[in-house]
Amino acid sequence: MEIMTNADKILNKYFGYDEFRPGQREVIESILSGRNTVAIFHTGGGKSICYQIPALMFNGTTIVISPLISLMKDQVDELLMRNISSTFISSTLSDKEISIRLDNIKKGMYKIVYIAPERFYSDDFINALSYIHIPFVAIDEAHCISQWGHNFRPAYLKIKDFISAIGSPVVAAFTATANHKVQKDIIRFLGMEKCRLYIASFDRPNLTFKVEHPEDEGLFILKYIKKHIKKPGIIYAATRANVEKVYIMLLERGIKVGMYHGGMDGVARNATQEAFLSGKTKVMVATSAFGMGINKEDVRYIIHYNMPKSIEDYYQEAGRAGRDGKSAECILLYSPNDYNINRYLIESNYPPLKLVERVYNRIYNRGGVGIPMPFLVRSFNISPNLVESAIKKLVEYDYIQIKGGVAYDINKGQFDLTQDDIDTHRQIELDKLDKIQEYCMTDECLRVFILKYFNEKPDFKKCNNCSSCGVMPNKEEQFLVENLLDDILGVADESSKPDIDTKLLSKLKRLRKRIAKRQGQDAHAVLEDDILKDIAAIKPTSKRQLAKVVGFTSDKMKIYGEELLQEVHRYLKGC
């Protein structure tokens, strides 16, 4: 297909890759063919290229909607380094800078414009778009449109009207974490009933999942880091206080460590981030604020000092390990007190409706002048934390915006938030918290638990690569053993090939069907029957053995090799 030949050239020219990752080609082809598309790829699966390449190929300016301001800036900086004209617009910019960028948009100076959802309230922004042709809109973190997804953002509900207002361009929605409920909401609330849905497997075979119950979490972390001193890793903690506690503990013991949380100034955050990305610092201790869009493929471990608030949050953060496809460990340190900490954090984010309305009315009554944040917080004779939670709720539901440390009304006095809205979303978060506590306490295979949570039905009951199942040798040890066996035993030639194992063949065909569905292809176009029959006869356990299967090319090895070998390993272990 000619358009994909051009896509291959752009991939190499601008991004330096010779081939797409699994699933990317199918998603890009769908978008370039003019189909609305929903793509669910795991963290690190390469979602951004799926909309950046079509943006370069369509005539006109592509709009990318993202709730993550830091991620927008990072991606624009990276695109500019690749000589791709792009910009972002968010509340972090001055009015003057926004005005300059809007003028440039009107002149058609950008191929890609990143925006935060708050832009839907700006008449100046909507007016600027009327001057240009918009062939394509990409929605990142699309789970934010669903109240069942983590990080629900009501502003995402306005995207459907926005798309209609600019002439119904091609639309693509992307997320890393969406179960069936969230998938249905994405399609319904974006008006994408006629769309192609691509769901990559949530399984990351190179990741080892562990839940540990240490008496002393700090001592566990210190011993682990000293044992893996040359390997880069991230330690996540639930609060700034815990981040600082772990950071100081490691620093005092001579570990080269960085710290990252929202209470630090921008210069300090950028400096510690760059030190980690460049390898000067091997260990980063951070809140969940760190990691979105961090392009570091060789993270060898993720340790959670505290239990996160949901499986979605955990999987997204743990998924930042092993993006290069090599072995990595994801360790969650569980303490019963974690549940209480997270419940408190959730409850504190849902203040009484009457307080939220009082805070909003005070901001609204100031008109266009706004109220400086410190003054607003002090103007109520109650806990500052309660006022701040009410302000946060008003920002989340798009009643106000904060610019330059000043709170402004953007909803023109209309307040229709209800206590039911607040209570419903609180209960959803509490249910998610219960589920991740169950993950921490289960005897079930952790990989199976995660896959089932995301509505993926695994073909195995044990992965032999988690703390519930026991952990297989690391890939380096496994490679040495497999190649030694190859040298001693050799691989059967055609004349002495054993009979086809029909049970294994059935499992391989089911795997092929899942891959085909994921890629939107015919099953036989993925892998021919003869190849599967040979694999079911030889039962290869290494890439070296798999490469000797007739017709199994190097391209097939790159795309399907890992999954096929995992399936054979599971079968041989009786899983």
Side-chain angles (χ1 to χ4, degrees):
M1 195 172 184
E2 186 177 350
I3 58 171
M4 289 312 296
T5 301
N6 292 335
D8 287 332
K9 292 177 181 177
I10 288 174
L11 178 70
N12 183 265
K13 177 181 177 182
Y14 288 102
F15 300 96
Y17 298 119
D18 293 326
E19 59 186 20
F20 289 105
R21 294 181 185 178
Q24 286 180 328
R25 173 177 289 275
E26 291 74 28
V27 171
I28 291 170
E29 185 175 355
S30 176
I31 294 168
L32 292 174
S33 298
R35 300 189 188 99
N36 289 342
T37 304
V38 176
I40 301 168
F41 285 176
H42 61 69
T43 300
K47 296 186 295 293
S48 58
I49 277 181
C50 289
Y51 55 77
Q52 288 170 348
I53 285 182
L56 292 172
M57 296 179 68
F58 282 127
N59 292 321
T61 301
T62 287
I63 303 295
V64 179
I65 301 167
S66 171
L68 305 167
I69 294 172
S70 60
L71 177 58
M72 289 194 289
K73 183 183 183 305
D74 290 344
Q75 291 207 353
V76 167
D77 288 345
E78 189 172 325
L79 290 170
L80 292 174
M81 287 174 58
R82 300 180 189 279
N83 295 317
I84 298 170
S85 57
S86 57
T87 193
F88 73 95
I89 298 182
S90 75
S91 59
T92 60
L93 303 173
S94 67
D95 290 341
K96 181 179 179 181
E97 181 60 29
I98 289 175
S99 179
I100 291 170
R101 296 189 187 194
L102 289 177
D103 285 340
N104 289 339
I105 288 174
K106 292 177 184 178
K107 296 172 185 175
M109 291 179 60
Y110 305 115
K111 285 297 291 179
I112 305 176
V113 175
Y114 286 79
I115 65 167
E118 70 202 26
R119 288 300 105 195
F120 301 140
Y121 299 100
S122 168
D123 293 336
D124 289 340
F125 176 72
I126 300 300
N127 177 59
L129 298 187
S130 67
Y131 287 81
I132 59 173
H133 172 55
I134 301 172
F136 176 40
V137 172
I139 299 122
D140 204 2
E141 308 296 333
H143 57 266
C144 293
I145 204 168
S146 171
Q147 67 176 354
W148 302 103
H150 65 305
N151 303 326
F152 172 59
R153 292 284 293 267
Y156 267 60
L157 297 171
K158 298 180 181 294
I159 295 177
K160 183 177 179 180
D161 293 337
F162 168 74
I163 290 167
S164 179
I166 60 175
S168 299
V170 178
V171 179
F174 299 86
T175 180
T177 48
N179 58 24
H180 286 336
K181 279 184 178 179
V182 178
Q183 292 167 26
K184 289 178 180 178
D185 278 356
I186 290 170
I187 292 168
R188 179 161 60 98
F189 290 132
L190 292 176
M192 299 175 68
E193 283 76 14
K194 294 181 179 179
C195 70
R196 294 291 297 272
L197 176 62
Y198 293 89
I199 305 174
S201 173
F202 283 92
D203 195 9
R204 297 276 304 280
N206 64 311
L207 301 185
T208 298
F209 290 98
K210 294 181 179 180
V211 175
E212 302 284 353
H213 301 249
E215 291 185 9
D216 186 329
E217 291 89 348
L219 183 60
F220 179 97
I221 289 171
L222 181 62
K223 287 182 176 179
Y224 186 92
I225 290 174
K226 285 187 173 180
K227 187 177 178 182
H228 303 85
I229 196 68
K230 294 184 178 180
K231 297 180 179 180
I234 304 172
I235 300 162
Y236 281 110
T239 64
R240 296 175 186 178
N242 279 343
V243 166
E244 292 171 359
K245 175 183 173 182
V246 175
Y247 168 77
I248 292 170
M249 181 270 294
L250 293 175
L251 195 65
E252 289 177 343
R253 285 157 179 80
I255 305 296
K256 288 186 177 180
V257 59
M259 177 175 66
Y260 190 106
H261 61 63
M264 299 164 58
D265 65 68
V267 174
R269 288 201 307 269
N270 288 337
T272 194
Q273 177 175 306
E274 286 305 315
F276 182 68
L277 292 175
S278 66
K280 291 179 181 177
T281 300
K282 291 293 185 183
V283 183
M284 180 68 77
V285 186
T287 60
S288 59
F290 180 76
M292 287 291 186
I294 299 302
N295 188 22
K296 187 172 177 64
E297 295 190 340
D298 64 341
V299 175
R300 297 272 67 87
Y301 61 87
I302 302 283
I303 300 176
H304 279 80
Y305 180 79
N306 303 110
M307 179 183 77
K309 291 189 291 184
S310 70
I311 295 289
E312 287 94 339
D313 286 335
Y314 176 66
Y315 190 72
Q316 191 168 57
E317 291 160 14
R320 290 168 192 147
R323 290 186 177 188
D324 54 7
K326 296 179 181 178
S327 298
E329 288 194 309
C330 306
I331 305 170
L332 199 166
L333 307 183
Y334 176 73
S335 166
N337 194 43
D338 288 344
Y339 182 88
N340 298 326
I341 292 172
N342 278 309
R343 188 174 183 102
Y344 169 78
L345 292 172
I346 291 170
E347 294 285 3
S348 65
N349 194 38
Y350 291 93
L353 179 69
K354 287 183 179 179
L355 175 60
V356 180
E357 188 169 12
R358 281 178 61 202
V359 174
Y360 175 67
N361 287 335
R362 188 157 296 184
I363 298 168
Y364 168 67
N365 290 332
R366 290 286 294 226
V369 178
I371 303 180
M373 286 287 289
F375 177 79
L376 177 61
V377 172
R378 290 197 303 268
S379 67
F380 291 87
N381 193 26
I382 56 176
S383 164
N385 289 339
L386 266 177
V387 181
E388 288 172 358
S389 70
I391 293 169
K392 184 178 180 182
K393 197 55 56 184
L394 289 169
V395 171
E396 286 176 1
Y397 283 85
D398 301 297
Y399 284 93
I400 67 171
Q401 68 177 21
I402 311 297
K403 291 189 68 174
V406 179
Y408 297 93
D409 167 51
I410 57 174
N411 214 42
K412 302 176 181 177
Q414 297 179 17
F415 187 87
D416 52 8
L417 188 65
T418 68
Q419 190 65 54
D420 281 346
D421 291 331
I422 292 176
D423 291 343
T424 297
H425 297 143
R426 178 200 290 116
Q427 191 56 52
I428 288 170
E429 285 204 55
L430 291 174
D431 289 345
K432 289 178 182 292
L433 179 61
D434 288 342
K435 199 66 181 177
I436 191 164
Q437 187 181 40
E438 184 183 335
Y439 171 85
C440 292
M441 305 301 292
T442 187
D443 292 326
E444 184 180 19
C445 168
L446 298 182
R447 193 180 302 277
V448 167
F449 190 102
I450 290 170
L451 295 179
K452 284 164 64 176
Y453 180 83
F454 289 114
N455 305 118
E456 184 172 335
K457 187 177 181 181
D459 282 345
F460 54 92
K461 292 182 179 179
K462 294 178 66 178
C463 69
N464 295 303
N465 201 27
C466 74
S467 55
S468 293
C469 299
V471 180
M472 293 171 65
N474 66 46
K475 287 199 172 184
E476 290 78 8
E477 293 169 351
Q478 193 174 330
F479 178 82
L480 291 172
V481 171
E482 288 168 350
N483 281 274
L484 179 62
L485 287 172
D486 281 353
D487 292 338
I488 296 171
L489 303 175
V491 179
D493 61 27
E494 198 67 32
S495 61
S496 61
K497 191 193 304 178
D499 293 335
I500 295 168
D501 187 321
T502 55
K503 289 184 179 179
L504 175 57
L505 180 60
S506 295
K507 287 183 174 292
L508 292 172
K509 285 184 176 180
R510 285 198 294 272
L511 172 63
R512 178 178 66 180
K513 186 177 180 180
R514 292 198 303 273
I515 294 171
K517 183 178 179 181
R518 186 172 80 212
Q519 297 184 346
Q521 294 190 53
D522 178 74
H524 292 277
V526 173
L527 290 166
E528 298 89 341
D529 280 345
D530 286 346
I531 289 177
L532 296 186
K533 288 176 182 176
D534 278 359
I535 295 173
I538 296 172
K539 299 185 182 72
T541 58
S542 69
K543 286 186 177 181
R544 183 175 174 181
Q545 292 175 341
L546 185 57
K548 296 190 177 183
V549 171
V550 177
F552 198 77
T553 63
S554 59
D555 286 340
K556 285 185 171 65
M557 180 69 76
K558 291 175 183 175
I559 299 172
Y560 311 119
E562 286 287 346
E563 287 183 274
L564 288 168
L565 289 173
Q566 283 285 328
E567 195 66 41
V568 174
H569 276 291
R570 288 169 187 150
Y571 177 75
L572 293 175
K573 290 181 177 292
C575 303

